[in-house]
Amino acid sequence: MSMTATRRTPTTRKKRRMRIILIGMLMLGAAAALVLTAFQDNILYFYSPTDLIEKSVKEGQSVRIGGIVAEGSVRTGTDGQTRFDITDFNNTTVVSYTGLLPDLFREGQGVVSEGWLEADGSFHATSVLAKHDENYMPPEVADALKRSGKWKGESSPMEAEN
């Protein structure tokens, strides 16, 4: 009769510490993976019309595109949908948008649109943001500066548009 006795070696303090560190690192890695996965769904990448062509943007993926509204491209349909072209002077993307456009929106002006790419390569915008140049100053501030005599520009932005 043979007796096989399993003899356990006592766990040393060093091994216990290594297990705790390993479990901690696994938990930290899992938490980081969960956070990155959650952010991935909410990150909006910015593309130019050329980037949309060169990079593989999936149909239906939420993105932002930016560029200049092409001259003569703004068309408003009877259904209230506005179509316009955004260009980076190398490529052009057709954008469709339903809603009110910002006051600064016009041809030749920079815009940023949020939305998704359609199957036909056009862009369906859910929002349109008009950009202005670094010389822009709100008319109220320009008028206040004129009244105080500190205005250094040639004319207020509103006067320049008229």
Side-chain angles (χ1 to χ4, degrees):
M1 178 171 177
S2 70
M3 289 188 69
T4 57
T6 56
R7 188 173 163 195
R8 296 183 81 178
T9 58
T11 306
T12 63
R13 279 178 69 182
K14 186 177 180 181
K15 285 184 178 179
R16 275 186 269 152
R17 281 188 199 151
M18 291 301 288
R19 282 187 192 156
I20 291 171
I21 289 172
L22 183 64
I23 290 171
M25 289 178 68
L26 286 172
M27 291 175 67
L28 189 62
L34 288 173
V35 168
L36 290 175
T37 302
F39 279 141
Q40 185 70 28
D41 293 338
N42 294 325
I43 293 175
L44 285 178
Y45 293 103
F46 180 84
Y47 294 100
S48 69
T50 300
D51 291 338
L52 285 177
I53 293 170
E54 292 177 352
K55 298 179 181 175
S56 60
V57 177
K58 296 175 190 168
E59 176 189 332
Q61 178 184 352
S62 293
V63 295
R64 287 183 179 165
I65 64 168
I68 304 295
V69 178
E71 296 287 335
S73 68
V74 179
R75 304 165 302 276
T76 303
T78 56
D79 57 351
Q81 188 176 55
T82 304
R83 290 184 171 267
F84 55 94
D85 298 340
I86 292 181
T87 183
D88 60 0
F89 303 111
N90 291 324
N91 291 295
T92 301
T93 300
V94 177
V95 177
S96 62
Y97 176 71
T98 303
L100 292 175
L101 291 167
D103 291 339
L104 293 173
F105 179 87
R106 62 180 172 265
E107 295 174 354
Q109 188 71 30
V111 294
V112 174
S113 295
E114 287 183 22
W116 61 86
L117 201 59
E118 299 279 355
D120 62 356
S122 67
F123 189 80
H124 180 87
T126 56
S127 68
V128 175
L129 306 170
K131 295 176 15 180
H132 54 77
D133 65 6
E134 66 276 358
N135 297 323
Y136 173 75
M137 183 170 300
E140 297 85 9
V141 175
D143 291 341
L145 288 174
K146 279 183 176 181
R147 282 192 304 265
S148 68
K150 302 208 184 248
W151 177 253
K152 296 185 179 179
E154 295 176 14
S155 64
S156 74
M158 295 302 284
E159 291 172 352
E161 291 178 359
N162 298 328

